[in-house]
Amino acid sequence: MDIRALTPTYAVSPQIEPSDLAAIKAAGFTTVIDNRPDGEIPPHLHTDVMKAAAEAEGLTFVANPVIGGALTQENLRAQAAALAEATGPVFAYCASGNRCSVVWALMNAGQASTDDLINTPAKFGYNLEHLRGQIDALAAEAEADRI
């Protein structure tokens, strides 16, 4: 398991195993978000298995499957809601941690600078530069909504 903290309250990781959940809890996380659709992983890592294992550790588990190249506004809303409802730090995982980073950057557009939203994940090898225009557009929408 490779925990990559983007903020003090949000970390991403490549795929985890049910046996990793005790260490995730011990690291202080209270919520686990699964950003992988069941169709791309073996049965022993499917949502129902991971949810049961997380809940057995006393963790909140949120399934928010993000299909590569088909991220939706609902994915952004679901991730933001999970963070808002969390009672402590949130741990999100997918195949590499990239999708979790993309969701984080897009849902925080307008709340942090575009440079920060791109440069923070870059420290862990996630290149989100191609999202600069999309982050800027979402930030502009958020600003217009505040006016």
Side-chain angles (χ1 to χ4, degrees):
M1 175 178 55
D2 185 5
I3 299 173
R4 301 163 182 181
L6 300 186
T7 73
T9 60
Y10 184 80
V12 302
S13 172
Q15 178 67 53
I16 59 170
E17 295 280 334
S19 59
D20 293 324
L21 291 160
I24 290 166
K25 182 174 182 167
F29 294 96
T30 61
T31 299
V32 174
I33 301 175
D34 175 2
N35 286 136
R36 289 195 84 179
D38 281 349
E40 67 179 47
I41 52 179
H44 78 281
L45 299 174
H46 279 187
T47 300
D48 57 344
V49 175
M50 296 301 290
K51 179 178 174 68
E55 290 176 350
E57 291 293 336
L59 295 162
T60 299
F61 184 88
V62 176
N64 184 24
V66 175
I67 298 170
L71 177 69
T72 67
Q73 285 295 322
E74 180 53 36
N75 289 131
L76 298 180
R77 283 190 291 274
Q79 200 96 344
L83 268 72
E85 294 168 9
T87 59
V90 174
F91 178 94
Y93 71 92
C94 58
S96 68
N98 188 65
R99 277 178 277 189
C100 304
S101 297
V102 168
V103 173
W104 172 82
L106 294 176
M107 72 180 197
N108 282 293
Q111 297 176 37
S113 75
T114 299
D115 283 342
D116 285 347
L117 296 174
I118 291 171
N119 293 335
T120 298
K123 295 173 190 173
F124 300 100
Y126 304 123
N127 182 357
L128 306 188
E129 187 62 45
H130 66 286
L131 298 175
R132 183 173 291 280
Q134 191 173 358
I135 294 168
D136 287 341
L138 288 169
E141 285 177 30
E143 181 63 26
D145 289 345
R146 285 191 285 265
I147 296 174

